[in-house]
Amino acid sequence: DPAAAEKPASHFAQCWNYRYSSGYGSAEFSRHHFGARGHDVLRIESAHVVEDGKSLFLSIPDLQPVNQLHLRLQPNPGVERDLFMTVHRLDEYFQCGQPRRTATKTIEPHPILADLTIATTRVPNPWLKRNHQARPVVIEAGKNLTYATRSFTAAPGEALRLTLKNPDVVPHNWALLKPGSLQRVGELTNRLVADPEAAARHYIPRTEDVLVYSDVVSPQDEFTIWFKAPEKPGRYPYLCTFPGHWMVMNGELIVE
């Protein structure tokens, strides 16, 4: 029934991933926030019955390769059908005779590639050597992709024990940068969504502008690193390098 089927609100779409590992079974994880449990609701932009009268085209701009895509369709009033499928890859844009509303998008790698990379090439954090003389500093993730601690100070070369606590519902990390490099590094982090090896590097971009970093910290967890503050006084930005977080999730270490 085109009158019912061509209403985007008649349909529902969500997706999630599983974690490929040596263990049996897996929890259900968000595709949008790596490591966070849960599902992502996908916006259905439009719905069209194609020429044969029996096929339905749904425009879902945020569709990506995922372990599980769930569609709840309503082809006729009061009639619902559930479809579950794995999206291994995306084909070319389907020409259904309707104008294309969305711009060309970056196709993310299949989720299993990130899991295989983590299992085989995970990069160890270089700042795990304990220093009992280091001053403790706690950085806590806030709500709405922020740091509750927006700045702190240190003496030149001071030994620090920094703990990143994550009470949020999505993963975060912490990376200290060279002065003046926030915008440059932030733009690099946004490109990591297309890099299957990014998760193994804790979403740290390959650049000398990054001085120190933590691992990605899962929700309700924490992670500690030991390092020395830069010797040169100045303002050193820090940020979360998880793709899309840095624009609001950033702060500043003031060395003086």
Side-chain angles (χ1 to χ4, degrees), residues 55-122:
S55 301
L56 181 65
F57 170 75
L58 300 179
S59 177
I60 306 176
D62 295 330
L63 185 64
Q64 292 282 354
V66 289
N67 292 142
Q68 196 75 79
L69 173 67
H70 171 210
L71 298 177
R72 175 162 289 177
L73 307 178
Q74 189 174 188
N76 295 284
V79 177
E80 292 185 340
R81 294 289 184 265
D82 287 303
L83 299 177
F84 294 88
M85 65 199 78
T86 295
V87 181
H88 291 289
R89 65 183 180 89
L90 299 184
D91 205 343
E92 295 297 321
Y93 187 84
F94 180 69
Q95 301 297 329
C96 65
Q98 298 293 328
R100 184 173 184 175
R101 300 183 184 179
T102 54
T104 302
K105 64 183 178 183
T106 300
I107 305 301
E108 299 178 13
H110 193 283
I112 197 174
L113 297 179
D115 290 336
L116 289 172
T117 302
I118 290 173
T120 57
T121 61
R122 193 171 182 88

Side-chain angles (χ1 to χ4, degrees), residues 13 18 20 25 40 66 71 74 109-110 120-121 125 127 163 170 181 233:
Y18 302 114
Y20 183 82
D40 297 318
V66 289
L71 298 177
Q74 189 174 188
H110 193 283
T120 57
T121 61
N125 190 290
W127 290 282
T163 299
V170 296
S181 65

